[in-house]
Amino acid sequence: MKTVIAIHGGAGTITRRALSKEKEQQYRQALEDIISAGQQILLAGGSALDAVTETVRLLEECPLFNAGKGSVFTHQATHELDACVMDGRTRQAGAVACVSRVRNPVLAARAVLENTPHVLLAGAGADVFAAEQGLETVSPDFFSTPERYAQLQQALQQDDILLDHQEDTPAPEGDPIDPRNKFGTVGAVALDSAGQLAAATSTGGMTNKRPGRVGDTPLPGAGCYADRRVAVSCTGTGEVFILTQAGYDISARMNYADSSLEQACDHLMQTLGEMQGEGGLIAIDADGNLALPFNSEGMYRASASGNEPPQVAIYRHPPA
C-alpha cells in the first residue's frame, strides 16, 4: 500500500500584496518541513495515527499557525485550545477542549484515546489529566505572541468576534491570507503502509471568542473523522461544520451512497456554501485518493505520496 499524508493550516482570502517573499517562504518552508516529517514516519513503517499526531504536534509548535504556540486570545485575554485524534482502524477517538496548560493538546487528545474509556475531556479536568499522563505543562502565557495580542485589542475595539486572526488591517509581520477572512485550525490525515487511516485536528479557537466556546475541532464527526474508508480534517466556520457533521457526512456518502471521495467532498462544500460557511478540508480514502477542497481563495496545505517530493501550496491560483 502506497502511503499518503496531507496537512492543513488554515483557509481564507488571499492577499498576495500583503505578503513579502521572505514571509511566504517561511510559511512554505514550515509546511514542507512538517509534511516531510510525517512522510518519513510512514515510509519507515509507522502508523497513520503516529504520523498525524506528530505532524499536528509540529504544527502546534509553529507560531505561524493558530494552534499551540501562537494561539489566539479569548475575550478575557486567555487561551483555550482544542484538539482531536481519531483512529480509522477502530473508529475510536480522543479529544480535549478548552485546555490552557498542556503544551501540545494533540498529545492530550491521543492520551484520552489510548488511556481512558472517554472520548472528550474539557477544561481544567483535561489539563489535570494531561499532567497525570506525564505530558509537558506550561504557563498559559506560553501560547501568547505579540501579534495575537494586538489582534485581540483590535477585536475588542471593534466589539467583534474574529476567526483566527481576522482583522481590518494586514496582520503584523505580513500574512498570506487576508486577515478579514482567515480561518484557523491545523490538521493532518494519513494512510499508512498497512492500509489504515487516521486524522488529527487542533486549534486555538477564535480571537475574542466567548470563554467556553467550543467549535468543530474537538468533535469527532465534525472537524475530525476517520474510519476504514476515509480520514477527514476540517478548517473553517466551526459552527457550520458542527451543524453539517462535515467529516461524518463525507464518510456516510462514501459508505452508504457509494460516492467517490471527490463526489462526497464536493457535496459537503456545496452544503457549506449554502449555509454561508467558508473554509476547507483535507481528506484521504482507503485507496490513497486525496482531496483538498476549499471555497475560500486559499488554504495552507501540503501533501506527500509515497517517497515522492512533498507538494506545498497556499493560494488557489498560481502567480500571474
Side-chain angles (χ1 to χ4, degrees):
M1 175 68 68
K2 190 174 186 179
T3 62
V4 186
I5 186 168
I7 61 174
H8 70 74
T13 302
I14 302 304
T15 53
R16 291 179 187 271
R17 65 183 181 278
L19 180 68
S20 68
K21 291 183 178 180
E22 179 181 6
K23 192 68 177 181
E24 179 176 345
Q25 181 56 33
Q26 290 179 25
Y27 279 88
R28 290 184 177 275
Q29 191 63 56
L31 290 167
E32 182 173 349
D33 290 346
I34 292 169
I35 195 69
S36 296
Q39 180 184 30
Q40 290 308 308
I41 290 173
L42 295 175
L43 291 175
S47 70
L49 190 61
D50 284 346
V52 298
T53 302
E54 176 60 9
T55 52
V56 169
R57 186 193 71 81
L58 292 171
L59 286 161
E60 290 176 342
E61 289 291 317
C62 181
L64 293 173
F65 304 105
N66 176 24
K69 180 70 172 177
S71 289
V72 299
F73 286 85
T74 71
H75 180 74
Q76 295 181 348
T78 58
H79 297 287
E80 294 181 346
L81 289 67
D82 308 328
C84 179
V85 295
M86 190 159 181
D87 185 348
R89 180 180 59 87
T90 62
R91 285 206 303 181
Q92 296 297 305
V96 294
C98 296
V99 296
S100 60
R101 291 189 173 275
V102 59
R103 176 169 179 151
N104 295 110
V106 71
L107 297 184
R110 177 75 178 265
V112 172
L113 165 66
E114 295 182 332
N115 301 326
T116 79
H118 309 304
V119 172
L120 173 63
L121 296 179
D127 278 317
V128 169
F129 167 76
E132 291 174 348
Q133 293 296 302
L135 299 178
E136 182 177 356
T137 58
V138 294
S139 170
D141 61 8
F142 167 82
F143 304 108
S144 306
T145 64
E147 293 80 8
R148 296 296 194 233
Y149 188 71
Q151 291 150 12
L152 173 64
Q153 297 310 303
Q154 182 171 22
L156 290 170
Q157 292 173 8
Q158 297 171 345
D159 191 25
D160 198 7
I161 296 174
L162 307 177
L163 291 167
D164 192 8
H165 50 275
Q166 169 185 349
E167 53 187 282
D168 284 338
T169 58
E173 302 289 330
D175 195 316
I177 294 185
D178 181 350
R180 291 170 297 178
N181 294 282
K182 180 174 180 184
F183 309 103
T185 303
V186 304
V189 292
L191 172 69
D192 62 30
S193 57
Q196 307 299 330
L197 292 156
T201 313
S202 180
T203 188
M206 299 191 304
T207 295
N208 198 29
K209 73 163 189 167
R210 185 181 183 89
R213 177 264 183 184
V214 176
D216 65 306
T217 293
L219 303 181
C224 186
Y225 187 77
D227 59 19
R228 293 178 182 271
R229 189 80 181 268
V230 66
V232 184
S233 178
C234 303
T235 175
T237 314
E239 279 68 14
V240 176
F241 281 109
I242 294 172
L243 295 173
T244 59
Q245 284 292 285
Y248 180 71
D249 183 76
I250 290 171
S251 168
R253 291 186 179 281
M254 296 177 67
N255 281 296
Y256 304 143
D258 202 29
S259 296
S260 67
L261 177 65
E262 182 179 9
Q263 290 169 334
C265 289
D266 286 347
H267 187 276
L268 187 281
M269 297 308 297
Q270 179 180 343
T271 302
L272 199 66
E274 292 170 353
M275 297 181 68
Q276 284 73 57
E278 188 174 352
L281 60 90
I282 55 175
I284 296 173
D285 69 17
D287 294 322
N289 298 307
L290 176 66
L292 301 92
F294 52 95
N295 63 5
S296 53
E297 290 186 26
M299 180 171 72
Y300 298 107
R301 59 202 187 276
S303 62
S305 179
N307 60 2
E308 298 173 6
Q311 302 297 309
V312 177
I314 298 174
Y315 310 105
R316 178 177 292 279
H317 302 294

